[in-house]
Amino acid sequence: MSINKEMLGLFARAILLISIFNLIFLPLVSCESNVYRIGVLSVYGERENSMESWIPTADYLSDSIQNSTFEVLPLDYDEFISVVNNDNIDFFYTNPMLYVEMAHKNGASRIATFQPSWNNSSYSGFGGVILTRADRDDIKSLKDLKGKSFMAVSERSLGGFLAAAGELQLNGIDYSDYFDELTFGHTHDNVVLAIVSGDVDAGTVRTGTLEKMVLEGKINIEDIKVLNQKEYDGYPLLVSTDLYPDWAFAKTGSTPGDISKEVSIALLSMPPNSNAAMAIGSSGWAVPADYISVDNLMRELRIGLYIHYGQVSLTDFFIQHWYVLTLLFMFFIIMEVNSRWMLDKAKKAKLEDSNNLKDLFTDIMRHDLLNPAGIVKGFSEILYIKETDEEKKETLKMINEQTDHLISMIGSAAKLAKLESYEEMEFETKDIGFILWKVVDSFAPVFAKKDIILDFNQKGEYPSRINDVIEDVFSNLISNALKYSPSGTTIRVDIADMDKNWNIMVADEGDGIPDEYKPYVFERFKRIDKTGVKGTGLGLAIVKRIVDIHKGTVGVEDNPRGKGSVFWVMLNKA
């Protein structure tokens, strides 16, 4: 069979066309686009979010992230919870309270926070405005609202009701039975107009509502009186309550980290004047805010996931408070031992009785309390390793952490009890500077971990008649400074020559101590409430006792260089 030239030519052209098709079209076919769904809470007290306003954001993300297509799914409240629970969406945009609930229940995590603007300038946070008519001379403060009619937006609205409820509670007012009548207007405008018209005595709306209605010509600001007005640096709107972070853009617990990171970068890079930003009324997106203030408000008001907060079963009570019950049991044992001991030693001198009692208490603390606490810690660690249920592991983790706290408290209490029985110690001449340097050096890993700068320069020797227990003083002061100092700040340690004394100073740049608390910080179990900072309340009491034994003085004052405190210890020169 012969093949002529014409057939060969046709065959060659067919091969060429197939090759061109493979080069051009096959890559396009194989480059599949991943589709991601964004659930947007449509209406929920604070603002309305239509699908049309969010389409530009979906298009923006689709254009910004290769091989990805984003779709918007408007959801009402009940749909939202169901869809997130069933992992039917990848990302969602919702109000702060619903985000907190999804973070707790579904492992969701925030990747950006809505960034509003006013007068072409961005600002952060929102709250509630509590208002009445300007001519209501009988209503001048929150206390005057008792027995009055009050209108809010919705029971679920953070800015339109719950922020104000939290502020009322902070002022000792239980809103549930404080008003003559509590009603809900469903929209912010309805609430303001009802107050202006005199239909209700007072009410609350979200920050920004009054300014918006003034611009729209709906109200005259002179007709409004804002109650409990607050001011925050850089915040441009009228406000009566604490400020809370704005709405959250978050990922569900099942969304991969890689795409979440790309979405976060794209949102944070969104230009303020882009169609996507302007369509949803924002000036872009801010780095994800800390929603702990919202979590705390929900807990205080017993709403959302905290509706049954504080109502625990007997089993849960024992799990949550086992260490308190253990302490009470041990305290009973201590009191029984102490009672018998006092009967046997009643004929001895008062001073001897007191010292012996402290010694006995110290021995009991060290042996009879530390041993069972150590056993509980050991078993909880073993159970934590073997347990597979995450909820039970969290409970065991809490037990382990509280046991550490208990052991620390027992050690501090025992040390203080022992120190109280000492009236005299053996002293020898030593260099305070060298002892202080050793203590500071032992905290070097903590300084590095917290990214805190140490400013400590020795200039010679600082001889003083001291006991080695003075190390506990320096250790406590530096440990406290590290606890209360934010990352990136400086802790300054210095020794000043004060004629006949050495003045050892530890200065931090934390939040400082209010003047009304300064006289009490060296008393037993007195602590300034600092969220997330653990302590027994005995450290500074131990410091003062050791300094007293050394015939020295101790005190605290504001840091003259700015924020923070300066703890100082005055010791005699050798």
Side-chain angles (χ1 to χ4, degrees):
M1 180 177 179
S2 60
I3 300 176
N4 57 32
K5 293 182 178 180
E6 184 177 353
M7 291 179 65
L8 287 172
L10 288 172
F11 182 74
R13 282 194 294 272
I15 295 296
L16 179 61
L17 287 173
I18 292 172
S19 300
I20 293 173
F21 178 85
N22 289 338
L23 287 172
I24 296 176
F25 294 102
L26 283 184
L28 297 178
V29 172
S30 62
C31 185
E32 296 180 357
S33 178
N34 296 309
V35 178
Y36 299 99
R37 306 180 79 193
I38 305 172
V40 176
L41 189 63
S42 54
V43 179
Y44 190 72
E46 308 301 342
R47 57 166 65 97
E48 296 186 7
N49 302 295
S50 65
M51 182 173 181
E52 290 74 17
S53 66
W54 271 83
I55 288 177
T57 296
D59 293 341
Y60 169 81
L61 291 174
S62 299
D63 294 338
S64 300
I65 302 173
Q66 292 183 352
N67 303 330
S68 298
T69 300
F70 290 82
E71 298 176 350
V72 177
L73 183 64
L75 302 167
D76 64 25
Y77 178 77
D78 294 327
E79 289 176 324
F80 186 92
I81 295 177
S82 174
V83 168
V84 174
N85 285 340
N86 294 318
D87 287 331
N88 290 332
I89 56 175
D90 305 287
F91 301 94
F92 62 85
Y93 174 71
T94 187
N95 68 77
M97 292 194 304
L98 204 48
Y99 161 71
V100 168
E101 189 165 341
M102 294 301 98
H104 279 281
K105 292 183 176 180
N106 304 91
S109 56
R110 64 202 186 280
I111 60 177
T113 294
F114 184 84
Q115 182 73 66
S117 66
W118 177 254
N119 285 338
N120 298 320
S121 297
S122 299
Y123 65 94
S124 298
F126 74 98
V129 184
I130 305 172
L131 62 144
T132 186
R133 279 170 54 123
D135 58 3
R136 291 297 299 264
D137 294 333
D138 59 325
I139 304 177
K140 297 179 181 179
S141 68
L142 300 182
K143 298 292 184 182
D144 297 329
L145 295 175
K146 184 174 179 61
K148 303 294 193 300
S149 59
F150 193 86
M151 181 179 282
V153 178
S154 163
E155 288 181 296
R156 293 175 174 175
S157 175
L158 176 54
F161 177 51
L162 298 172
E167 190 66 29
L168 291 170
Q169 184 164 300
L170 189 64
N171 284 271
I173 299 172
D174 181 2
Y175 71 87
S176 63
D177 61 359
Y178 197 72
F179 305 115
D180 176 57
E181 182 182 24
L182 174 62
T183 56
F184 298 97
H186 305 297
T187 71
H188 296 273
D189 285 12
N190 287 348
V191 175
V192 176
L193 294 176
I195 295 169
V196 173
S197 65
D199 293 338
V200 292
D201 297 318
T204 184
V205 293
R206 177 188 163 113
T207 50
T209 301
L210 297 179
E211 290 82 355
K212 177 176 174 288
M213 294 181 72
V214 169
L215 285 178
E216 294 171 348
K218 294 180 179 179
I219 61 168
N220 186 338
I221 196 64
E222 300 298 327
D223 297 332
I224 299 295
K225 180 195 299 182
V226 176
L227 304 177
N228 198 54
Q229 186 170 345
K230 295 186 176 185
E231 293 184 1
Y232 299 95
D233 290 342
Y235 196 74
L237 305 174
L238 293 169
V239 61
S240 304
T241 70
D242 289 344
L243 293 179
Y244 299 93
D246 220 298
W247 284 41
F249 193 104
K251 77 177 191 71
T252 63
S254 60
T255 304
D258 291 344
I259 186 63
S260 300
K261 182 177 181 181
E262 291 190 65
V263 170
S264 177
I265 293 172
L267 290 177
L268 296 178
S269 304
M270 180 184 290
N273 58 352
S274 65
N275 290 335
M278 291 188 292
I280 58 176
S282 79
S283 60
W285 296 86
V287 295
D290 185 353
Y291 288 82
I292 187 65
S293 59
V294 180
D295 189 285
N296 290 337
L297 179 67
M298 295 171 66
R299 192 191 307 266
E300 291 168 5
L301 297 180
R302 305 292 193 272
I303 57 176
L305 73 158
Y306 293 113
I307 192 169
H308 299 298
Y309 180 73
Q311 303 174 13
V312 296
S313 65
L314 187 61
T315 302
D316 291 336
F317 177 81
F318 278 104
I319 290 176
Q320 294 178 17
H321 303 288
W322 66 270
Y323 52 93
V324 176
L325 298 174
T326 302
L327 277 176
L328 290 174
F329 177 71
M330 293 178 177
F331 180 74
F332 174 79
I333 294 175
I334 293 172
M335 293 301 295
E336 182 67 21
V337 172
N338 177 54
S339 177
R340 293 182 182 181
W341 182 87
M342 288 293 291
L343 289 174
D344 293 339
K345 303 293 183 180
K347 296 181 181 180
K348 290 190 175 182
K350 183 178 180 180
L351 180 59
E352 181 182 357
D353 286 347
S354 177
N355 288 338
N356 286 338
L357 174 60
K358 290 172 183 176
D359 289 338
L360 175 62
F361 177 76
T362 302
D363 291 337
I364 293 174
M365 292 285 285
R366 286 179 175 172
H367 299 96
D368 298 310
L369 294 185
L370 280 176
N371 286 342
I375 293 171
V376 171
K377 176 175 173 59
F379 276 110
S380 65
E381 289 176 344
I382 294 171
L383 290 173
Y384 181 85
I385 294 171
K386 294 183 177 181
E387 185 57 66
T388 57
D389 184 271
E390 287 301 321
E391 185 174 351
K392 292 181 179 179
K393 285 178 74 73
E394 282 299 313
T395 300
L396 290 167
K397 181 180 178 182
M398 179 192 70
I399 292 174
N400 196 27
E401 290 173 349
Q402 292 300 329
T403 306
D404 287 337
H405 180 69
L406 175 63
I407 291 172
S408 176
M409 186 169 63
I410 292 171
S412 296
K415 180 179 292 183
L416 184 59
K418 200 72 174 178
L419 287 169
E420 288 292 348
S421 67
Y422 287 150
E423 290 301 325
E424 293 184 0
M425 282 185 177
E426 293 183 5
F427 300 95
E428 58 182 310
T429 301
K430 292 190 175 183
D431 181 11
I432 294 176
F434 178 72
I435 295 173
L436 188 56
W437 176 84
K438 286 197 304 179
V439 173
V440 169
D441 186 64
S442 69
F443 282 97
V446 186
F447 277 95
K449 182 178 180 180
K450 294 195 67 175
D451 191 26
I452 293 176
I453 301 169
L454 170 65
D455 181 5
F456 176 40
N457 295 311
Q458 288 184 250
K459 302 175 182 177
E461 295 184 351
Y462 310 89
S464 178
R465 295 281 296 172
I466 54 177
N467 183 280
D468 288 340
V469 75
I470 200 70
E471 288 189 22
D472 285 346
V473 172
F474 303 149
S475 181
N476 266 297
L477 295 183
I478 294 171
S479 176
N480 276 356
L482 283 165
K483 284 180 184 177
Y484 298 114
S485 293
S487 177
T489 58
T490 298
I491 293 177
R492 181 170 56 90
V493 180
D494 197 12
I495 304 177
D497 189 336
M498 306 294 289
D499 192 17
K500 296 181 180 180
N501 304 294
W502 299 117
N503 188 19
I504 302 94
M505 295 169 288
V506 178
D508 62 66
E509 295 176 356
D511 291 334
I513 299 174
D515 291 339
E516 62 266 30
Y517 292 115
K518 288 187 176 74
Y520 309 107
V521 295
F522 295 98
E523 293 184 10
R524 301 177 190 179
F525 302 109
K526 295 288 185 180
R527 295 183 65 246
I528 308 302
D529 186 21
K530 298 287 185 180
T531 302
V533 179
K534 298 179 180 179
T536 63
L538 291 173
L540 292 179
I542 292 173
V543 167
K544 187 175 188 308
R545 179 56 185 161
I546 294 174
V547 173
D548 287 344
I549 294 173
H550 282 77
K551 310 300 181 184
T553 54
V554 63
V556 61
E557 57 193 40
D558 293 335
N559 191 338
R561 299 190 178 187
K563 286 184 64 176
S565 303
V566 177
F567 282 83
W568 53 265
V569 174
M570 198 84 71
L571 297 175
N572 296 326
K573 291 183 178 179

